[in-house]
Amino acid sequence: MKGLGFLLTVALTLLGFCHVFVAAVERNDEERRTYIVHMATSQMPESFQERAHWYDSSLKSVSESAEMLYKYSNVIHGFSTRLTAEEARSLQGRPGILSILEEVRYELHTTRTPEFLGLDKSAALFPESESASDVIIGVLDTGIWPESKSFDDTGLGPIPSSWKGECETGTNFTSSSCNRKLIGARFFSKGYEATLGPIDESKESKSPRDDDGHGTHTATTAAGSVVEGASLFGFAEGTARGMATRARIAAYKVCWVGGCFSTDILAALDKAVEDNVNILSLSLGGGMSDYYRDSVAMGAFGAMEKGILVSCSAGNSGPSPYSLSNVAPWITTVGAGTLDRDFPAFVSLGNGHNYSGVSLYRGDPLPGTLLPFVYAGNASNAPNGNLCMTNTLIPEKVAGKIVMCDRGVNPRVQKGSVVKAAGGIGMVLANTGTNGEELVADAHLLPATAVGQKSGDAIKSYLFSDPVATVTILFEGTKVGIQPSPVLAAFSSRGPNSITPDILKPDLIAPGVNILAGWSGAVGPTGLATDKRHVDFNIISGTSMSCPHISGLAGLLKAAHPDWSPAAIRSALMTTGYTNYKNGQKIQDVATGKPSTPFDHGAGHVDPVSALNPGLIYDLTVDDYLNFLCAIKYTAPQISILAKRNFTCDADKKYSVADLNYPSIAVPLQTALGGGGGDGASTVVKHTRTLTNVGSPSTYKVSIFSESESVKISVEPGSLSFSELNEKKSFTVTFTATSMPSNTNIFGRIEWSDGKHVVGSPIAVSWT
């Protein structure tokens, strides 16, 4: 299975996010499994001159036959290998072994955008000098389709001298596949092949080539060149461009038909750091795990130490709370919102009622008359027939009819394929309670449209009441100027942060619904094997799409401010984000129809023009993150896994997560109260923050906004004056909470303004 359909395969086979210490493994068989071995290099015996020789010796001490898959030297110290459970337990007891973690499989989180973000009118604000083309964005994904027009290198100068990477060769990929735009491409498959066997090169390319489309889409979203006349079958027609059109792209293929494996992801991160990328974009993830067990978090920490911003997708498990991935505070975690563009396709019923939906179908039109209409659940003998799963529809009951299917379980486009195979001539796809009113457009293989839950319920009511129900679908093309926009996508994963409730996640949202970007020539727009259409651009949705928007915008800020740290760039993007429409109303959540909250949108929707000149930023250093790890009570060995060196928390120092200089503030009162609350007593919690001036001398005054009097928020001092560049000033936020009902969240915001800049920080106070 290729393309978007492969996302389902990965999701269904996902092993979870539970990295385990081998000490906890109890197996009696001799089956070999893949492990990542973390080494304490400070304990390397003097008899060894090189780490690699020590790693080899340690492995050979427990197994003469085991082979090393990768050696890691940048983002972590150690290696990966295949061992039996007994060998793994034996190795755990060897000197210098910090931990042994079992292989984990991850899943992918899968042109109007520049105009929507204001980049078209503000291009002059962003550098077009060599600094812009010196930025290198590394993308870890399904690879790259180098023939895409979005990788045209016209007008770009020589490859930056800082670049240390290469263009690896393999199946249908040569060194000439790269150019001055796509400057590097690598593939990492050892972990994948060790678990699932050799790659079948007749089905997927053992090379950086993208057979899926996802990797090309994310890379071109982040930094694709300008392409005029781009569209998908005429939908969203216009000029396609990435966020950072002059930035260089380095592709690291880590995701395959069978998934994305942690050994390969770590190897790619390790190599990307060595290659000297400036930004890393990862539209993948899984569940939640402690940072010292999370391969992405560990790799991102090592990248952050080298000054590389790491942007990750928040996940597509919304609207459920506590559904986030990639929540480490050194990762920029990105949720998804909509654009002001839609692709309307109306359902017109025989009773004269019309209901709005969306579709990217472009093909033979339906007859110009009303057609017989049937509900899939009434045209199947299967208990889940309403879902239009493969081989569940009765051809005699759907032939020549438009079929109504319910969303869920199998891919949306596959449902249409099932209807078509059974003889149906069209499909109405109805959301259920899980997706509510969220509408995602698809390039269906037959005339089809998707409608929200309310419309779906009304259509079903007609279907069930009229034995000769009829319907047709009216396709309206592309519409822009849709309001309100953006709205938070229902699928976008939500907080609170289940690993560290004191860190508010996601960080912000960016466009992630119905995004047009480059595509692979090896697969059709639906990703189905039966889809033989070939397109240069495709429109898909997910936090996979919102993540590279932030990666590209981070590249623009890096070009404009080369000396800024990853934390400074993230701060600029967060503190200038907006949470209200121009009419003053709060950004809506499509899942509820109500205002979204900081647990949904973080600091708000990105505003890149404002981010270029934020006035003030919240900066963070490696030591700040190490102090954070002390605050969450990590042991010295656990910290060493991330820091790759000995680090011991000072027993005489009081560490507090509240002191981490994060641009947002989360206050989980159950932590402050030690599990109590609700008895009428007041609780006081203090957070300290430090602002750095990155603009002109100015005086900033604070404004405080809170939804409830149950939590009083004060800031001291209320005014900060800066007289020079990079000057730092600190302030304290005090939260005084009286009794609140359990499971209550209160949201607020503090803003520092000098009349020109607004530096905003969201606040989330929770009592559970």
Side-chain angles (χ1 to χ4, degrees), residues 288 291 322 324 326-333 494-507 570 574 598-599 602 620 624-625 628-629 631-632 656-668 670-671 687 689 762-764 766:
M288 305 286 277
Y291 308 130
Y322 298 99
L324 291 164
N326 303 316
V327 297
W330 47 87
I331 289 174
T332 300
T333 311
R494 317 299 173 94
N497 181 338
S498 63
I499 300 298
T500 314
D502 311 73
I503 302 297
L504 181 58
K505 291 281 185 171
D507 290 315
R570 177 180 58 192
M574 288 177 65
F599 284 147
L620 284 162
D624 292 325
Y625 290 119
F628 160 79
L629 297 175
I632 60 175
S656 172
V657 178
D659 293 333
L660 185 69
N661 201 38
Y662 214 73
S664 57
I665 299 176
V667 187
Q670 78 282 2
T671 301
H687 281 243
R689 294 291 188 271
I763 292 169
S766 58

Side-chain angles (χ1 to χ4, degrees), residues 66-275:
E67 295 183 359
M68 220 168 267
L69 299 177
Y70 296 108
K71 295 185 178 79
Y72 307 106
S73 57
N74 295 303
V75 295
I76 68 167
H77 289 160
F79 59 92
S80 52
T81 186
R82 300 274 290 174
L83 299 170
T84 66
E86 179 58 37
E87 289 169 345
R89 280 191 290 269
S90 297
L91 185 59
Q92 180 72 72
R94 298 286 300 173
I97 306 295
L98 281 171
S99 74
I100 303 178
L101 305 178
E102 192 171 331
E103 175 84 278
V104 172
R105 198 179 313 195
Y106 289 71
E107 63 178 338
L108 292 167
H109 290 151
T110 191
T111 56
R112 174 73 182 156
T113 311
E115 290 84 351
F116 183 70
L117 295 175
L119 294 179
D120 60 325
K121 297 178 181 178
S122 307
L125 297 175
F126 292 91
E128 289 294 332
S129 64
E130 287 307 308
S131 64
S133 60
D134 283 345
V135 172
I136 303 167
I137 300 176
V139 181
L140 274 66
D141 214 292
T142 63
I144 208 80
W145 189 260
E147 292 81 10
S148 171
K149 298 175 184 177
S150 295
F151 302 127
D152 183 4
D153 63 357
T154 301
L156 287 174
I159 293 172
S161 59
S162 61
W163 175 243
K164 306 301 180 186
E166 63 183 76
C167 197
E168 294 181 353
T169 61
T171 312
N172 301 317
F173 207 95
T174 67
S175 58
S176 62
S177 298
C178 296
N179 59 13
R180 296 191 307 275
K181 179 64 174 179
L182 176 62
I183 62 173
R186 298 182 185 273
F187 66 100
F188 300 84
S189 61
K190 292 179 181 178
Y192 171 51
E193 292 186 288
T195 300
L196 297 181
I199 289 172
D200 183 347
E201 295 186 48
S202 68
K203 296 181 179 179
E204 59 181 328
S205 302
K206 189 174 181 180
S207 74
R209 182 164 290 279
D210 180 14
D211 302 310
D212 176 85
H214 192 278
T216 300
H217 199 281
T218 55
T220 56
T221 297
S225 299
V226 175
V227 181
E228 296 181 355
S231 74
L232 172 64
F233 304 135
F235 291 103
E237 188 170 8
T239 300
R241 49 162 288 174
M243 296 296 96
T245 57
R246 295 183 61 80
R248 316 302 178 114
I249 296 170
Y252 299 85
K253 183 176 180 178
V254 297
C255 295
W256 306 83
V257 169
C260 323
F261 288 78
S262 54
T263 49
D264 296 329
I265 293 169
L266 273 173
L269 289 169
D270 204 64
K271 187 59 71 172
V273 169
E274 187 176 305
D275 289 345

Side-chain angles (χ1 to χ4, degrees), residues 144-477:
I144 208 80
W145 189 260
E147 292 81 10
S148 171
K149 298 175 184 177
S150 295
F151 302 127
D152 183 4
D153 63 357
T154 301
L156 287 174
I159 293 172
S161 59
S162 61
W163 175 243
K164 306 301 180 186
E166 63 183 76
C167 197
E168 294 181 353
T169 61
T171 312
N172 301 317
F173 207 95
T174 67
S175 58
S176 62
S177 298
C178 296
N179 59 13
R180 296 191 307 275
K181 179 64 174 179
L182 176 62
I183 62 173
R186 298 182 185 273
F187 66 100
F188 300 84
S189 61
K190 292 179 181 178
Y192 171 51
E193 292 186 288
T195 300
L196 297 181
I199 289 172
D200 183 347
E201 295 186 48
S202 68
K203 296 181 179 179
E204 59 181 328
S205 302
K206 189 174 181 180
S207 74
R209 182 164 290 279
D210 180 14
D211 302 310
D212 176 85
H214 192 278
T216 300
H217 199 281
T218 55
T220 56
T221 297
S225 299
V226 175
V227 181
E228 296 181 355
S231 74
L232 172 64
F233 304 135
F235 291 103
E237 188 170 8
T239 300
R241 49 162 288 174
M243 296 296 96
T245 57
R246 295 183 61 80
R248 316 302 178 114
I249 296 170
Y252 299 85
K253 183 176 180 178
V254 297
C255 295
W256 306 83
V257 169
C260 323
F261 288 78
S262 54
T263 49
D264 296 329
I265 293 169
L266 273 173
L269 289 169
D270 204 64
K271 187 59 71 172
V273 169
E274 187 176 305
D275 289 345
N276 271 350
V277 302
N278 303 110
I279 308 291
L280 277 167
S281 187
L282 287 79
S283 290
L284 50 82
M288 305 286 277
S289 181
D290 288 321
Y291 308 130
Y292 61 87
R293 297 182 178 184
D294 180 342
S295 291
V296 171
M298 288 185 283
F301 192 96
M304 173 274 299
E305 287 182 300
K306 301 293 186 180
I308 300 167
L309 181 140
V310 180
S311 171
C312 291
S313 47
N316 296 341
S317 299
S320 301
Y322 298 99
S323 54
L324 291 164
S325 297
N326 303 316
V327 297
W330 47 87
I331 289 174
T332 300
T333 311
V334 189
T338 65
L339 295 172
D340 63 342
R341 180 179 64 196
D342 216 342
F343 309 100
F346 293 90
V347 178
S348 183
L349 301 178
N351 63 5
H353 292 171
N354 295 321
Y355 298 92
S356 61
V358 295
S359 180
L360 295 169
Y361 172 74
R362 184 77 83 200
D364 294 336
L366 290 168
T369 58
L370 291 170
L371 300 163
F373 195 20
V374 64
Y375 182 56
N378 295 333
S380 172
N381 292 323
N384 59 352
N386 62 307
L387 296 175
C388 296
M389 306 281 281
T390 302
N391 296 325
T392 60
L393 297 179
I394 301 172
E396 293 78 11
K397 292 188 177 183
V398 303
K401 299 178 182 179
I402 292 180
V403 181
M404 185 170 198
C405 304
D406 286 329
R407 184 173 170 182
V409 184
N410 58 329
R412 300 180 300 271
V413 290
Q414 189 180 72
K415 296 174 188 290
S417 179
V418 170
V419 170
K420 186 176 182 179
I425 60 173
M427 177 181 69
V428 175
L429 178 62
N431 280 0
T432 60
T434 302
N435 302 101
E437 300 308 304
E438 174 183 71
L439 297 180
V440 178
D442 293 297
H444 294 284
L445 289 167
L446 83 172
T449 186
V451 298
Q453 181 188 13
K454 293 177 182 177
S455 295
D457 290 345
I459 296 169
K460 289 174 191 174
S461 178
Y462 163 69
L463 258 177
F464 298 155
S465 64
D466 191 334
V468 288
T470 56
V471 69
T472 191
I473 303 171
L474 306 173
F475 299 94
E476 298 291 326

